[in-house]
Amino acid sequence: MQNYPLLNVFWTMLEFFLWILWFFLLFKIITDIFRSHDMGGGAKAGWIIFVILLPFLGVLVYVIVRGRSMGERDIEQAQKADAAFKQYVRDAASTSGGGAGGGHVDELAKLAELKSSGALSEEEYQKAKAKILA
């Protein structure tokens, strides 16, 4: 069995971690290049070639030149995903016959609106509400 000092183990783990970190950054930049709408096809191809042929220099230059817009695109993407999720929840909650009585929500809201406008009396409102919830 060969002697492998503890410091060498830590150094090897650090190198391994940095390589993994490097690949994550490289893939993040490549996906950002393709996601960017402000660049044309030629510029995207140029950046890809630069990042692949000279990876360390290409990634460093990309982060310096386009780092701010890269963050803005990440924020925009997160906001779009959040808005899509919220819209999905609203749609799922308002569909009639959907699981937990989502259609009743719309009907009760309409009844409350009719009651507040004076079109329904309190007694009519309570009867219609009981009918919906039954």
Side-chain angles (χ1 to χ4, degrees):
M1 194 162 148
Q2 193 173 13
N3 189 11
Y4 199 66
L6 186 61
L7 188 59
N8 286 351
V9 171
F10 288 130
W11 182 253
T12 302
M13 288 173 55
L14 179 66
E15 288 176 343
F16 183 70
F17 174 74
L18 290 175
W19 273 107
I20 290 173
L21 188 68
W22 166 252
F23 280 114
F24 272 109
L25 181 62
L26 182 66
F27 292 135
K28 174 115 176 102
I29 287 176
I30 289 173
T31 57
D32 186 68
I33 290 171
F34 286 110
R35 187 173 51 179
S36 179
H37 296 293
D38 60 338
M39 283 194 296
K44 289 180 182 183
W47 275 112
I48 292 292
I49 290 170
F50 187 40
V51 166
I52 290 175
L53 292 181
L54 299 170
F56 291 108
L57 182 63
V59 166
L60 183 64
V61 170
Y62 188 85
V63 169
I64 290 170
V65 172
R66 298 187 49 86
R68 179 174 300 199
S69 62
M70 189 171 152
E72 292 169 355
R73 279 187 293 281
D74 281 343
I75 291 170
E76 179 184 339
Q77 182 70 23
Q79 288 172 342
K80 284 181 182 178
D82 186 50
F85 175 73
K86 287 180 180 177
Q87 183 62 41
Y88 170 76
V89 169
R90 273 188 239 109
D91 290 346
S94 68
T95 57
S96 60
H104 300 315
V105 173
D106 288 337
E107 294 176 25
L108 289 172
K110 290 175 187 175
L111 276 177
E113 188 178 315
L114 287 172
K115 180 186 170 209
S116 65
S117 69
L120 288 178
S121 68
E122 179 65 32
E123 184 181 321
E124 293 170 329
Y125 171 74
Q126 291 301 332
K127 284 181 184 177
K129 180 177 156 185
K131 186 176 179 183
I132 289 173
L133 294 177

